[in-house]
Amino acid sequence: MIRIAPLAALLLAASAGAAHAHVGDHGLGLAAGFAHPMTGLDHVLAMVGIGVWAAQRGVADRRAVWTIPAAFVAMMLAGAVAGWTGLRLPMIEAGIVGSVVLLGLLLLGAPRLPSWAPVATAAVFAVFHGYAHGAEIPVGGALAGYAAGFVAATIVLHAAGIGIGSALIRAAGALGPRGFGGALVLGGAAIAVGIA
């Protein structure tokens, strides 16, 4: 059973090609905001990966289960405001795909880090994802409803990741999240090849 989740993530990533949600008009409001992270494999993998990483880090530091996702959500909102206002940030796509690969490597390697480092890392990753969300709001569109939607979707994906990470830890100990990390690295690489 422990091999199913990484295999599923790998197959999904390999079959998706350039499945990312950073093109076109996604509409306005809560529903459109909720749909945006859910329609991009890169966002889904990163946000579920944040949850798995929070569960992995939570074994040694219980606070990590909520501090890592909370930092992600807070800085995602800051990134969304930057994108919505038209502030130029370089290498957004590379930052998004890079966050998937780096999360995978962090899960795979499980390095010992001070408690602030995963929170700061999640915050940096979140700026890229948030910027993509904010930049997709059509000209003249309101940020509030759309932001509430993508925040809700992000929380759902983080919670799913925490659940997956906790299940993997119960089933396989430390190896469970590491296997998921390997699948994230491969998934990120597949997305990068698809958008190159």
Side-chain angles (χ1 to χ4, degrees):
M1 175 129 169
I2 60 171
R3 295 183 184 135
I4 293 173
L7 181 59
L10 174 61
L11 292 174
L12 184 60
S15 67
H20 53 93
H22 316 137
V23 293
D25 182 352
H26 295 279
L28 296 171
L30 183 72
F34 189 88
H36 188 250
M38 299 293 194
T39 58
L41 182 61
D42 45 7
H43 289 312
V44 171
L45 290 178
M47 292 173 189
V48 171
I50 285 287
V52 174
W53 194 33
Q56 182 189 51
R57 299 289 307 173
V59 171
D61 177 7
R62 297 291 303 160
R63 295 172 301 165
V65 174
W66 67 268
T67 58
I68 293 171
F72 190 97
V73 170
M75 290 307 293
M76 182 183 64
L77 282 169
V81 170
W84 182 62
T85 60
L87 180 69
R88 296 280 183 175
L89 293 180
M91 299 175 53
I92 296 303
E93 290 294 332
I96 291 170
V97 174
S99 71
V100 175
V101 173
L102 289 173
L103 269 170
L105 291 172
L106 287 164
L107 281 162
L108 192 57
R112 292 186 182 197
L113 299 169
S115 61
W116 60 266
V119 172
T121 302
V124 170
F125 292 164
V127 170
F128 294 105
H129 290 271
Y131 186 93
H133 297 328
E136 290 297 315
I137 299 173
V139 175
L143 180 62
Y146 190 84
F150 69 70
V151 165
T154 298
I155 291 169
V156 167
L157 292 169
H158 287 338
I162 291 167
I164 290 167
S166 298
L168 289 172
I169 290 165
R170 281 193 304 275
L175 292 179
R178 288 181 181 211
F180 191 87
L184 277 185
V185 171
L186 294 174
I191 293 168
V193 169
I195 65 174

